[in-house]
C-alpha cells in the first residue's frame, strides 16, 4: 500500500503432488496485481468523476494429474457371466481369489511416467469509474487466459494393447472483454430507479 491510492498484492505458492513423477512433481504459481486510484493520486476534483481506478494483474495456477496416471493399472478379475434375456448367469461361479490364487486383468489405459503438471496463466487490465455523485459506475476489463500441458486420456490404437494413453495433450486460449454499467437514472427523496 502506498499512500492509500496504490496497491501491489503479491502471492506465491508451491505444490508437490504424489500423482506426478518424482523428478517433476513440484510446481510453483505466483500472482501479482497493481491497482492505482488515479483520482486520489492526481487529486482530481472533477464534478462528473468521483472515483477512478486502473488495475493490472497476472496470475498462474497449476494442477496435478489424476491418481494412477503414471503407470498402467490392474483390476481384480472375475469370471464373466452370460446374459440370457435380462438375467445374468455365471456358469463357472468362479470368484477371486480362487483356491488361494488371485486374478487380475490389465486396464485399457496406458500410464505415462513423463507427464507434467498442467498450468494456466491469466493477465487482466481493468478500469473502474464512478461519477455523477456515485449515480453511474462503469467497469471495463480485458483478459487473456492460457492453459497448457492439459492432461487428457488420448485414444490410441487397440493394436498396442491399450485403448488410451495419458498425455499432456491440450492447449487452450481464451480472451475477451467484460463490461459492467450500473446507474441510478432516477433518484428522488421517495423513489430510486436502479439500472
Amino acid at each position: 500500500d502506498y499512500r492509500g491510492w496504490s496497491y501491489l498484492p503479491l502471492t506465491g505458492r508451491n505444490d508437490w503432488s504424489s500423482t506426478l513423477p518424482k523428478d517433476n512433481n513440484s510446481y510453483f504459481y505466483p500472482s501479482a496485481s497493481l491497482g492505482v486510484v488515479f483520482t486520489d493520486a492526481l487529486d482530481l476534483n472533477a464534478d462528473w468523476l468521483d472515483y477512478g481506478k486502473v488495475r493490472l494483474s497476472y496470475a498462474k495456477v497449476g494442477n496435478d494429474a489424476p491418481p494412477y496416471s503414471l503407470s498402467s493399472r490392474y483390476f481384480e478379475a472375475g469370471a464373466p457371466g452370460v446374459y440370457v434375456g435380462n438375467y445374468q448367469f455365471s456358469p463357472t461361479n468362479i470368484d477371486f481369489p480362487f483356491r488361494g490364487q488371485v486374478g487380475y486383468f490389465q486396464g485399457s489405459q496406458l500410464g505415462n511416467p513423463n507427464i507434467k503438471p498442467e498450468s494456466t496463466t491469466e493477465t487482466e487490465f481493468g478500469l473502474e469509474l464512478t461519477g455523477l455523485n456515485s449515480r453511474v459506475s462503469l467497469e471495463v476489463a480485458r483478459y487473456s487466459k492460457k492453459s497448457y500441458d492439459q492432461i487428457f486420456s488420448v485414444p490410441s490404437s487397440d493394436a498396442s494393447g491399450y485403448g488410451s494413453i495419458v498425455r499432456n495433450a491440450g492447449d487452450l486460449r481464451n480472451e475477451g472483454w467484460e463490461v459492467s454499467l450500473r446507474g441510478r437514472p432516477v433518484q428522488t427523496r421517495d423513489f430510486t430507479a436502479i439500472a
Side-chain angles (χ1 to χ4, degrees), residues 61-108:
V61 295
N63 193 22
D64 59 0
Y68 311 110
S69 297
L70 303 180
S71 60
S72 303
R73 297 176 61 193
Y74 288 84
F75 299 89
E76 186 175 339
V82 177
Y83 280 94
V84 178
N86 292 328
Y87 301 98
Q88 181 182 21
F89 299 95
S90 180
T92 57
N93 290 325
I94 295 176
D95 291 323
F96 287 94
F98 179 70
R99 295 189 182 190
Q101 299 297 315
V102 293
Y104 295 94
F105 70 92
Q106 181 177 285
S108 63

Side-chain angles (χ1 to χ4, degrees), residues 13-195:
R13 176 174 171 169
N14 198 90
D15 283 353
W16 290 266
S17 174
S18 62
T19 64
L20 294 168
K22 279 187 178 181
D23 58 347
N24 199 17
N25 68 349
S26 172
Y27 49 98
F28 176 73
Y29 41 106
S31 73
S33 62
L34 175 65
V36 176
V37 182
F38 61 85
T39 48
D40 292 346
L42 301 175
D43 199 22
L44 295 178
N45 293 314
D47 294 336
W48 59 274
L49 183 62
D50 304 320
Y51 176 83
K53 177 182 178 181
V54 292
R55 64 179 191 273
L56 177 66
S57 65
Y58 169 85
K60 179 180 179 181
V61 295
N63 193 22
D64 59 0
Y68 311 110
S69 297
L70 303 180
S71 60
S72 303
R73 297 176 61 193
Y74 288 84
F75 299 89
E76 186 175 339
V82 177
Y83 280 94
V84 178
N86 292 328
Y87 301 98
Q88 181 182 21
F89 299 95
S90 180
T92 57
N93 290 325
I94 295 176
D95 291 323
F96 287 94
F98 179 70
R99 295 189 182 190
Q101 299 297 315
V102 293
Y104 295 94
F105 70 92
Q106 181 177 285
S108 63
Q109 179 173 281
L110 178 63
N112 185 350
N114 299 316
I115 205 157
K116 298 182 289 189
E118 298 179 356
S119 296
T120 300
T121 61
E122 183 171 3
T123 56
E124 181 176 316
F125 172 77
L127 173 68
E128 300 175 26
L129 299 173
T130 302
L132 303 177
N133 293 322
S134 300
R135 291 180 61 178
V136 178
S137 63
L138 172 69
E139 290 186 32
V140 179
R142 168 71 175 166
Y143 68 89
S144 177
K145 186 175 184 180
K146 299 176 187 176
S147 298
Y148 52 95
D149 290 332
Q150 291 180 307
I151 301 170
F152 288 107
S153 181
V154 179
S156 64
S157 170
D158 289 333
S160 67
Y162 298 94
S164 61
I165 181 173
V166 178
R167 301 200 55 185
N168 292 103
D171 289 341
L172 179 68
R173 183 173 181 161
N174 182 14
E175 55 186 27
W177 291 88
E178 294 178 353
V179 179
S180 174
L181 176 63
R182 295 183 302 275
R184 298 193 301 272
V186 178
Q187 181 174 353
T188 66
R189 187 174 58 179
D190 300 321
F191 177 78
T192 300
I194 300 174

